[in-house]
């Protein structure tokens, strides 16, 4: 059954939603179950002692006993000079994000029996072309060369509001570091962010939307609405424009991303349902044989840190291979066969010199017992 997938990697939780085409058009988005106890999963990756990568809630659980091996907050660090380091091993942040995308796609494919027709992934609204290009390359290496990247507030608006006419709307994204408030205007290319303020006190987020709208010459009552997503608190009192908040606002951005992937329409408040919704994409990843050079890195203000020397980066494809036990098993078999051949050859060549001890071999990512695959569904080598 054909379906599309929308994925939102937030600072603490990752969510996904699917739209299914049953033959009479795309259905409404439904959450894709990623977590151990709910639809969302932790935006985390854990590197265990055997070199396996665990993702989501399984990573957080494993990190309770070894917190130094738990990786979090890396999606916001895409493009940073300092790599993510665990036990002396360096991980590009964008490749870790690609690992979470791969895990979400695997979960959906296990449910539907096939890969999604399209994938839409969100990113922070403040990202420029350099960070998007890094993520684009990591996704292409991971096997998703045609995934689309959209700003998170744009996806959130697509969960409730169609970009029709000359309208403006607001989005409040609530997270551990406060709220990110954005106003966006509808245009020929869909919703486009106009102004964003980060680190807003959650209790003042809705008021900040009205303040930004006033600065743009738009009265509060003229706003098409305000969408709340993330860990949204209740809004007290009446507001001069509609406020949209689902029963689980954490899923709002992924729901809108699925709508974009399906090019599915949403009803306009107070008006009839229109016929189509434009696909608003920050970056559409084409299928190419050779990737172009990265755009020039923008200048950044100096920071008080001790920089690490950057080694040659490991591709996302190599990093993803550590999530697949069959790769580890094949490596162990090849290594064992090679060792046996070398041992027999050495013994035959040195038969007159007396017996020698066979060479010892080890594999940093091999299971503790030969021939036994890891039991965790998310741990892969």
């Amino acid at each position: 059954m054909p379906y599309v997938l929308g994925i939102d990697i937030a600072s603490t939780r990752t969510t996904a939603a699917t739209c299914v085409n049953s033959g009479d058009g795309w259905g409404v988005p439904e959450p894709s179950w990623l977590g151990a106890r709910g639809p969302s999963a932790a935006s985390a990756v854990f590197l265990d002692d055997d070199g396996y990568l665990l993702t989501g809630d399984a990573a957080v659980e494993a990190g309770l006993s070894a917190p130094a091996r738990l990786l979090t907050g890396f999606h916001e660090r895409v493009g940073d000079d300092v790599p993510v380091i665990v036990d002396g091993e360096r991980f590009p942040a964008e490749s870790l994000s690609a690992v979470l995308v791969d895990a979400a796609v695997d979960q959906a494919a296990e449910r539907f029996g096939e890969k999604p027709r399209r994938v839409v992934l969100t990113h922070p609204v403040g990202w420029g072309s350099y960070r998007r290009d890094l993520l684009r390359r990591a996704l292409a290496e991971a096997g998703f060369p045609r995934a689309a990247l959209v700003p998170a507030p744009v996806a959130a608006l697509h969960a409730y509001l169609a970009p029709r006419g000359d309208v403006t709307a607001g989005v409040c994204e609530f997270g551990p570091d406060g709220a990110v408030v954005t106003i966006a205007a509808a245009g020929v290319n869909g919703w486009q962010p106009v102004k964003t303020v980060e680190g807003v006190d959650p209790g003042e987020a809705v008021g900040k939307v009205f303040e930004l709208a006033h600065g743009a010459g738009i009265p509060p009552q003229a706003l098409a609405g305000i969408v709340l997503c993330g860990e949204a608190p209740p809004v007290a009192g009446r507001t001069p424009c509609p406020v949209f908040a689902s029963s689980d606002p954490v899923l709002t951005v992924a729901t809108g991303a699925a709508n974009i992937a399906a090019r599915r329409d949403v009803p306009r408040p107070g008006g009839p349902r229109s016929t189509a919704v434009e696909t608003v994409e920050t970056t559409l990843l084409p299928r190419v044989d050779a990737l172009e050079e990265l755009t020039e890195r923008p200048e950044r203000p100096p920071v008080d840190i001790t920089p690490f020397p950057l080694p040659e980066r490991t591709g996302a494809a190599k990093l993803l291979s550590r999530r697949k036990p069959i790769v580890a098993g094949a490596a162990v078999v090849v290594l064992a066969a090679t060792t046996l051949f070398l041992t027999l050859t050495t013994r035959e060549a040195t038969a007159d010199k007396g017996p020698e001890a066979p060479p010892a071999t080890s594999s940093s990512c091999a299971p503790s017992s030969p021939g036994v695959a890891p039991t965790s569904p998310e741990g892969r080598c």
Side-chain angles (χ1 to χ4, degrees), residues 61-280:
E61 184 175 354
L64 295 177
S65 58
R69 291 178 170 271
L70 181 65
L71 307 176
T72 59
F74 45 81
H75 193 56
E76 291 80 4
R77 291 184 57 183
V78 171
D80 282 3
D81 295 325
V82 181
V84 181
I85 302 177
V86 176
D87 198 24
E89 188 169 359
R90 290 166 168 82
F91 297 92
E94 61 272 14
S95 294
L96 294 174
S97 296
V99 169
L100 293 186
V101 171
D102 183 69
V105 171
D106 278 355
Q107 291 273 28
E110 183 178 354
R111 174 186 174 188
F112 292 100
E114 61 179 317
K115 297 289 187 180
R117 297 290 180 89
R118 285 187 293 273
V119 175
V120 169
L121 175 66
T122 66
H123 63 78
V125 65
W127 278 18
S129 60
Y130 178 75
R131 289 183 169 185
R132 296 196 304 269
D133 285 345
L134 286 176
L135 184 56
R136 171 178 63 86
R137 286 170 169 262
L139 291 172
E141 291 176 356
F144 308 106
R146 297 192 63 83
L149 305 180
V150 301
V154 170
L157 287 169
H158 272 269
Y160 292 99
L161 297 170
R164 290 286 183 264
D166 185 17
V167 296
T168 303
V171 178
C172 299
E173 304 171 74
F174 297 91
D177 298 324
V180 178
V181 177
T182 302
I183 59 170
V188 293
N189 293 321
W191 291 110
Q192 296 295 326
V194 174
K195 180 71 174 178
T196 298
V197 178
E198 300 180 0
V200 179
D201 183 272
E204 301 175 357
V206 173
K208 179 61 70 173
V209 173
F210 297 140
E211 180 181 331
L212 294 179
H214 178 75
I218 302 170
Q221 62 272 17
L223 291 173
I226 301 174
V227 177
L228 307 183
C229 50
E231 302 294 339
V235 178
R238 301 183 62 179
T239 57
C241 70
V243 174
F244 302 94
S246 69
S247 57
D248 191 355
V250 174
L251 300 172
T252 298
V253 177
T255 298
N259 273 336
I260 294 175
R263 296 177 173 86
R264 179 182 173 275
D265 192 20
V266 292
R268 183 189 305 176
R273 188 185 187 88
S274 56
T275 58
V277 167
E278 298 91 341
T279 302
V280 184

Side-chain angles (χ1 to χ4, degrees), residues 316-369:
K318 290 184 178 180
L319 193 58
L320 289 177
S321 68
R322 300 172 67 169
R323 295 188 59 248
K324 302 185 182 299
I326 189 172
V327 175
V332 173
V333 172
V334 172
L335 182 60
T338 304
T339 302
L340 178 60
F341 176 80
L342 293 176
T343 302
L344 294 177
T345 304
T346 303
R347 288 183 175 179
E348 181 179 357
T350 60
D352 296 334
K353 299 180 181 180
E356 294 184 2
T361 62
S362 62
S363 176
S364 61
C365 65
S368 56
S369 299

Side-chain angles (χ1 to χ4, degrees), residues 273-295:
R273 188 185 187 88
S274 56
T275 58
V277 167
E278 298 91 341
T279 302
V280 184
E281 297 167 347
T282 300
T283 306
L284 178 63
L285 310 183
R287 189 181 300 277
V288 294
D289 296 327
L291 294 174
E292 299 178 355
E293 294 295 327
L294 289 175
T295 56

